[in-house]
Amino acid sequence: MLDIALVGSGGMMPLPNRYLSALLLRFEGKMVLIDCGEGTQVTVKQMGWGYKTIDAICLTHFHADHVTGLPGLLLSIGHSGREEPITIYGPAGVAHVVRSLCVVTPEIPFAINFVEIPPQGFASIKIPLTNFILSAHPAVHNAPCFAYRIDIERKGKFDLETAKKLDIPVHFWNKLQKGNTIEHENKTYTPNMVMGEARKGLSVSYCTDSRPPKGLPDFIKNSDLFICEGQYGDEEKLAKARKNKHMIFAEAAKLAHDGNVGELWLTHFSPSLPNPKEYAKNAKKIFPNTIVGYDRLNKTITFEDEE
């Protein structure tokens, strides 16, 4: 099961009922956070998910509404008793930005590892300490910015009958299921001898602070959930969205449609949009399975044969 929570759904500045950009994903007790706007640690506390098992933080870009929650959150993670390192991903300069922000929190008790994303992005990097597979795709904003995709891969089923026919000792079965090759009595047993084809995994994609990027529909293809910015709901705001390198609801819905995703959550609303649901129809007429996001909106997605 993969749990997803839209921690903060606002853009530019927080409102009394809306904190700034953040998305939290949880799988097998491990968590990954995407962006960390002002108010992130408050709303995570309200959800009751805790801080200690946040193993990685992925920053889309370095505008304040996506990063100013970092010092407080990292300090709270430290107070939770965490000792293992955390990895922070982001555009070039991520280490400098985070260290500068954290001048006010020098007592963080764990190491922070930094990964700079190359301009062209990357595909399928395993996040340390987790089973999350991370990919990044260039966004189109007025600062270096990336869209992210998280995949949870799923191995094929163990073929019990084949293992018996091959006379593979039972005490090796578990090791083969975990991907290990076994040498025993002049015989070699490999996982592909007893493991079926990989099964459909789980996937979540996230894009905010961007015009519709070229190639993004392929990047988000078949995601179970796509979280995308809808800075403006009114289609009359398109010119403003183009100028400020943002999107309107209809553009996010078009990306969801073209990417054949399962569900779309809109987020990163302008402060001038106090009630984004008023414009839901502008997205739903293009992509019906659209939800207008709000702080702490969450859901759990499961593997196909576990539903």
Side-chain angles (χ1 to χ4, degrees):
M1 299 188 302
L2 174 63
D3 301 314
I4 308 106
L6 188 60
V7 177
S9 59
M12 298 176 64
M13 60 180 288
L15 299 178
N17 63 339
R18 194 159 75 203
Y19 290 118
L20 296 178
S21 293
L23 181 78
L24 194 58
L25 303 100
R26 179 175 63 185
F27 181 73
E28 296 182 339
K30 298 290 189 174
M31 296 196 289
V32 170
L33 179 70
I34 302 180
D35 281 337
C36 189
E38 188 176 344
T40 294
Q41 67 166 320
V42 176
T43 193
V44 170
K45 182 74 172 178
Q46 288 176 310
M47 293 191 309
W49 285 26
Y51 308 109
K52 189 175 182 179
T53 61
I54 296 177
D55 290 292
I57 300 171
C58 305
L59 301 176
T60 57
H61 65 301
F62 303 140
H63 283 165
D65 55 338
H66 294 256
V67 300
T68 50
L70 275 171
L73 178 73
L74 291 171
L75 197 58
S76 291
I77 293 173
H79 288 161
S80 74
R82 185 183 180 93
E83 297 178 351
E84 300 87 356
I86 283 179
T87 303
I88 299 183
Y89 300 81
V94 60
H96 172 71
V97 169
V98 174
R99 286 171 180 151
S100 298
L101 285 166
C102 291
V103 166
V104 296
T105 55
E107 60 273 37
I108 292 172
F110 50 83
I112 299 177
N113 299 319
F114 296 99
V115 177
E116 287 194 354
I117 302 172
Q120 71 275 16
F122 57 64
S124 302
I125 300 294
K126 188 176 186 298
I127 295 177
L129 308 178
T130 76
N131 287 317
F132 291 93
I133 304 297
L134 178 69
S135 301
H137 187 281
V140 183
H141 197 42
N142 50 23
C145 186
F146 292 94
Y148 288 110
R149 178 180 176 127
I150 294 283
D151 286 283
I152 305 294
E153 298 177 337
R154 197 176 191 206
K155 298 176 182 177
K157 289 185 177 180
F158 179 74
D159 190 333
L160 178 63
E161 294 305 315
T162 297
K164 289 179 177 178
K165 288 178 182 178
L166 293 173
D167 268 339
I168 301 176
V170 173
H171 57 278
F172 291 146
W173 291 2
N174 184 256
K175 292 181 179 179
L176 290 168
Q177 289 180 70
K178 291 181 178 179
N180 297 305
T181 295
I182 307 296
E183 301 284 347
H184 177 67
E185 295 182 350
N186 297 319
K187 295 180 181 179
T188 300
Y189 301 115
T190 59
N192 65 325
M193 296 169 67
V194 291
M195 301 300 295
E197 292 292 322
R199 291 170 286 177
K200 183 181 181 300
L202 304 173
S203 55
V204 176
S205 297
Y206 180 89
C207 179
T208 185
D209 286 61
S210 180
R211 295 294 301 142
K214 183 179 180 181
L216 195 75
D218 287 334
F219 180 73
I220 67 173
K221 198 76 171 178
N222 299 328
S223 294
D224 295 287
L225 176 62
F226 176 42
I227 300 100
C228 189
E229 81 144 72
Q231 180 87 351
Y232 308 109
D234 195 335
E235 296 186 18
E236 293 180 0
K237 297 286 188 181
L238 180 56
K240 187 173 183 179
R242 286 172 173 162
K243 178 183 177 182
N244 296 329
K245 298 292 193 297
H246 286 289
M247 281 188 250
I248 61 173
F249 283 18
E251 291 176 308
K254 178 69 163 49
L255 287 171
H257 173 272
D258 293 349
N260 192 41
V261 304
E263 183 171 304
L264 168 66
W265 288 2
L266 294 168
T267 188
H268 197 270
F269 307 116
S270 166
S272 66
L273 206 62
N275 186 13
K277 289 185 179 180
E278 291 179 358
Y279 301 94
K281 64 181 183 299
N282 292 340
K284 290 188 174 186
K285 67 184 180 184
I286 299 169
F287 189 79
N289 198 18
T290 296
I291 293 177
V292 177
Y294 53 86
D295 287 16
R296 295 174 299 285
L297 167 65
N298 64 86
K299 74 174 297 182
T300 298
I301 57 177
T302 59
F303 294 114
E304 283 185 341
D305 57 355
E306 292 181 350
E307 293 178 351

